Amino acid sequence: MPTGKNKIIGIILSVILIVFAVGAFLSTDKETPEVTTEPTPTEETVTTPALPTNAIVGTSVEGRVIETYTYGTGSTTLLFVGGVHGGYEWNSTLLAYEFIDALEAGTFIVPAHLRFVIIPTLNPDGLFEVVGTSGRFIAAEIPPNDAHTTGRGRFNANDVDLNRNFDCKWKPESTWRSKVVSAGTEAFSEPEAKTLKRVVENENPVAVVFWHSQANTVYASECEAGVLPQTLAIMNAYANAANYNSVSSFDAYPISGDAEGWLASIGIPAITVELETKTSSEWQRNQAGIKALIGLY
Ligand SMILES: [Zn+2]
């Protein structure tokens, strides 16, 4: 009776299959909510921006802190510096804080292979002189018509122009437009310049962006050996994306001891982004510039 046996086996198999299918359907149905809810917190943890490492890396002549904000865990570091000229260029510090805010809010994501180190103000004494704080501030807190033309807040508390205190063609006196300015007693005589040197040596950035104001231009950098090829690439990428002019060699007036030139002398590409105004962070434009810069790394 092979046929009858096969029929019985067939029926038994069908029943088993149906039981399994119904079981699987019911269990899938039961587990569905768990499948969608359980992994969600993990995914959120992954996409939430990493908490910044906020460190005090130095102090100014008057003892105000100089801080770095660090984002990302990649092996390639980009360094951003605002407020070299303190309150005279307070919008460069405002820009740095807007960048920090975007990173902390997760609206600007650090690519996995990169790491951003941001110094919002290298000259906290100069910033304090104009803004009344050396920490975070909003533009509305700043007195109107202040310091934009006078140069107040540009220098550190020793009356030194920090961007003349670095080791590239350093001289005790240098120029700012038609004025003679103090460049310190020797290269890196000022605690703020020493701090930047230390940060660069510790972080070993592949490129450095300085924010200043105002010239509506991105400048390359050089010391004795000319402009590094990568510096030109960075300058062009940033300037094009942010819609600033670009100038590969600053020759408006002679400069010695600038931080960008010192970086060029040790083989680190650096650009100076001079914002168009003295009153706005120009964040949208600089966000585009930073993204173009990232595209090169
Ligand atoms: Zn400046």
Side-chain angles (χ1 to χ4, degrees):
M1 309 274 284
T3 315
K5 228 184 215 174
N6 282 351
K7 263 188 192 169
I8 290 162
I9 290 166
I11 288 163
I12 289 166
L13 282 175
S14 300
V15 168
I16 289 167
L17 275 175
I18 288 162
V19 167
F20 266 94
V22 169
F25 175 77
L26 287 176
S27 70
T28 304
D29 197 38
K30 249 185 277 175
E31 282 171 9
T32 300
E34 287 167 19
V35 167
T36 53
T37 53
E38 271 182 5
T40 307
T42 314
E43 282 166 18
E44 277 177 3
T45 306
V46 169
T47 54
T48 297
L51 288 173
T53 309
N54 180 210
I56 295 171
V57 288
T59 50
S60 65
V61 171
E62 292 183 341
R64 296 191 174 88
V65 297
I66 299 169
E67 295 174 291
T68 53
Y69 290 74
T70 303
Y71 301 87
T73 54
S75 57
T76 301
T77 298
L78 295 168
L79 174 63
F80 301 86
V81 185
V84 174
H85 285 139
Y88 172 67
E89 297 174 359
W90 54 260
N91 59 331
S92 69
T93 294
L94 193 66
L95 170 57
Y97 279 121
E98 289 208 30
F99 188 23
I100 287 166
D101 288 345
L103 288 160
E104 292 186 5
T107 54
F108 197 118
I109 302 292
V110 188
H113 65 291
L114 294 182
R115 195 166 154 271
F116 298 160
V117 177
I118 305 165
I119 300 175
T121 182
L122 190 69
N123 180 4
D125 294 346
L127 185 69
F128 181 85
E129 190 180 340
V130 172
V131 177
T133 176
S134 58
R136 287 187 189 232
F137 61 93
I138 56 170
E141 293 171 347
I142 297 152
N145 304 316
D146 191 30
H148 298 159
T149 53
T150 61
R152 194 161 79 86
R154 176 185 173 95
F155 307 111
N156 79 347
N158 287 336
D159 214 24
V160 171
D161 189 324
L162 292 176
N163 213 28
R164 307 289 183 270
N165 189 231
F166 288 80
D167 190 13
C168 166
K169 307 176 193 174
W170 181 87
K171 294 183 295 184
E173 288 186 334
S174 190
T175 48
W176 167 46
R177 297 181 182 162
S178 58
K179 295 173 185 155
V180 174
V181 294
S182 169
T185 53
E186 61 182 336
F188 301 115
S189 62
E190 304 309 296
E192 298 88 351
K194 278 192 184 89
T195 298
L196 182 59
K197 182 175 189 277
R198 200 163 51 240
V199 169
V200 167
E201 287 167 352
N202 289 342
E203 304 291 352
N204 194 25
V206 291
V208 184
V209 174
F210 290 90
W211 290 311
H212 287 254
S213 64
Q214 70 185 96
N216 195 30
T217 301
V218 180
Y219 296 93
S221 57
E222 61 183 311
C223 195
E224 306 285 4
V227 182
L228 299 167
Q230 183 68 0
T231 303
L232 290 177
I234 295 168
M235 176 193 73
N236 287 325
Y238 199 109
N240 289 339
N243 195 28
Y244 292 122
N245 301 317
S246 59
V247 171
S248 57
S249 187
F250 182 86
D251 60 359
Y253 48 89
I255 282 182
S256 54
D258 62 303
E260 297 86 342
W262 166 65
L263 286 161
S265 77
I266 58 171
I268 299 176
I271 55 170
T272 307
V273 178
E274 290 268 1
L275 306 181
E276 183 175 6
T277 68
K278 276 204 178 292
T279 53
S280 164
S281 70
E282 300 167 26
W283 165 238
Q284 293 303 327
R285 293 168 73 177
N286 284 278
Q287 181 176 34
I290 295 164
K291 284 182 176 169
L293 172 71
I294 289 170
L296 299 176
Y297 291 96

